[in-house]
Amino acid sequence: MRERDFARIHAISEAELVAAYVGLNVTRIEPNIDLLLNGLTACGEIMALTRNESAVHEKIGPVEKVVIGPHASMVLGEQIDLRIFPSKWAFGFAVEKAKDDGTIRHSVQFFDAQGDAVFKVHARPATNLEAWAILVANLRSPEQAPIVTQPKPVPVALGTPAPLEDLRAGWSALTDTHQFFGLLKKLNYPRLTALETVGEDYAWQLDHTAVAGLFSAAAADQTLPVMAFVGNHGCIQIHSGPIQNIKTMGPWLNVLDDTFHLHLRLDQVASVWGVRKPTSDGHVTSVEVYDENRELIIQFFGKRVEGSDERGAWRDLVQNLPLYAQTNAA
């Protein structure tokens, strides 16, 4: 059983479960983003894993082009592409787990104050384990003891949302997709509420089958690179490129490519949206998938070159996905 599921069954956090083995096969480490990312650059090929409750995003490759910032840090490599928010990282562990063949599986795992995983790195057969050992030694915490997690914070109530005309005016004035978060914050709109409110020229609800349809259409066109964003409040991980091997197993829709693995729980999808945002290079089209708690599970864009309009094939793909029918509401 996976640690996350075992912890849930026993009403503890995953971090508490991992911490129970400190002094055995687990070492507490500091959630120091600078030491972690720059240390990983010497390790060669690794697997980076970022997840939320409904999606797991795994990328294989080297850690390159590290940018450290006071509020957010980034990895901008061709394979590993991350946006990290260090204020949400509370606990770290280096884990060594014996496999059935006697070899050791090495990982470093990081959790928020509530004990939920925000980011993990797994060593690969090609990983430089000498550099990995140096990394763990540099991150080793002086505190090798159990941890105390915190209860989930009470959500902060937003103020009254601004009038619809303000939302539409701000939306239509966007020149970069990165301005969207600031717009929502300024106008007191939760993300999904904004999609439901703004109007179908900017956001339209899609049928649940649109998710599988998007994967199938993208895999059928290997000239169409996509971007898949999966994140939590501590880390966002991005895949940019084509997708090829798709397999459904139970409720999971999986991408099983050489350097990209994605696992998405289709049974936890509550709503799917096509979204159009203006930019200085033309409008940008995305697909956003939400769970029953109105939280964003995964987001898709067509990969484009900065300064150029998005690919027509991606725009056509999204606009041809099946629409949500009100008869489905029952």
Side-chain angles (χ1 to χ4, degrees):
M1 184 179 294
R2 293 187 180 276
E3 286 86 350
R4 188 182 183 95
D5 298 326
F6 183 91
R8 182 185 294 109
I9 289 171
H10 292 278
I12 60 174
S13 69
E14 185 182 357
E16 289 171 310
L17 176 60
V18 176
Y21 293 88
V22 167
L24 297 172
N25 63 319
V26 174
T27 302
R28 276 190 69 173
I29 57 177
E30 296 294 326
N32 185 313
I33 308 300
D34 191 345
L35 288 179
L36 170 67
L37 297 182
N38 284 298
L40 283 171
T41 61
C43 293
E45 182 181 277
I46 56 92
M47 189 267 275
L49 186 155
T50 301
R51 70 164 301 158
N52 52 47
E53 195 62 38
S54 303
V56 184
H57 192 295
E58 302 170 354
K59 286 289 289 184
I60 297 167
V63 173
E64 303 171 309
K65 300 180 181 178
V66 171
V67 180
I68 301 297
H71 305 295
S73 295
M74 299 183 288
V75 175
L76 300 172
E78 184 176 345
Q79 292 296 339
I80 309 295
D81 191 354
L82 304 170
R83 307 293 180 269
I84 289 173
F85 310 104
S87 65
K88 302 300 183 182
W89 294 37
F91 307 108
F93 305 94
V95 180
E96 297 182 352
K97 182 174 289 188
K99 297 195 292 186
D100 292 340
D101 61 5
T103 59
I104 302 298
R105 184 173 12 179
H106 299 269
S107 66
V108 289
Q109 306 182 18
F110 298 92
F111 301 83
D112 65 13
Q114 290 71 45
D116 293 326
V118 292
F119 184 62
K120 298 180 181 181
V121 180
H122 292 267
R124 300 271 300 166
T127 301
N128 182 335
L129 291 181
E130 290 184 4
W132 183 279
I134 293 171
L135 169 66
V136 172
N138 288 339
L139 288 171
R140 183 183 172 90
S141 173
E143 188 67 48
Q144 297 295 317
I147 63 170
V148 178
T149 58
Q150 300 175 10
K152 293 189 182 300
V154 177
V156 177
L158 296 177
T160 303
L164 171 59
E165 54 265 31
D166 291 354
L167 175 63
R168 287 187 57 82
W171 197 306
S172 65
L174 293 172
T175 59
D176 188 297
T177 57
H178 296 99
Q179 298 166 351
F180 189 61
F181 177 78
L183 174 67
L184 299 183
K185 186 174 182 181
K186 174 185 174 183
L187 299 181
N188 290 325
Y189 271 92
R191 189 181 188 100
L192 182 52
T193 303
L195 303 190
E196 294 169 335
T197 306
V198 69
E200 292 188 356
D201 51 340
Y202 287 134
W204 58 99
Q205 190 167 2
L206 297 169
D207 190 78
H208 280 36
T209 60
V211 180
L214 185 155
F215 278 84
S216 297
D221 184 356
Q222 289 301 292
T223 67
L224 180 60
V226 300
M227 301 181 73
F229 293 67
V230 168
N232 51 63
H233 63 176
C235 187
I236 297 171
Q237 187 163 298
I238 307 162
H239 164 75
S240 300
I243 57 176
Q244 298 173 314
N245 301 308
I246 301 171
K247 180 177 291 188
T248 302
M249 300 176 65
W252 293 94
L253 180 65
N254 305 281
V255 176
L256 302 173
D257 291 345
D258 290 342
T259 60
F260 175 47
H261 301 159
L262 176 69
H263 313 287
L264 174 63
R265 281 284 298 261
L266 293 179
D267 61 329
Q268 294 180 355
V269 171
S271 67
V272 186
W273 291 80
V275 182
R276 184 181 293 116
K277 302 188 190 83
T279 76
S280 56
D281 302 319
H283 74 255
V284 170
T285 311
S286 62
V287 173
E288 301 189 2
V289 182
Y290 290 83
D291 65 17
E292 65 180 2
N293 296 318
R294 302 176 65 81
E295 296 290 337
L296 182 62
I297 298 173
I298 190 168
Q299 190 177 23
F300 300 95
F301 289 86
K303 184 179 179 181
R304 68 187 182 98
V305 178
E306 200 69 32
S308 63
D309 200 359
E310 72 180 356
R311 299 167 192 261
W314 168 256
R315 191 172 291 170
D316 292 342
L317 188 162
V318 176
Q319 292 177 346
N320 287 321
L321 291 173
L323 296 173
Y324 177 79
Q326 289 298 325
T327 54
N328 292 344

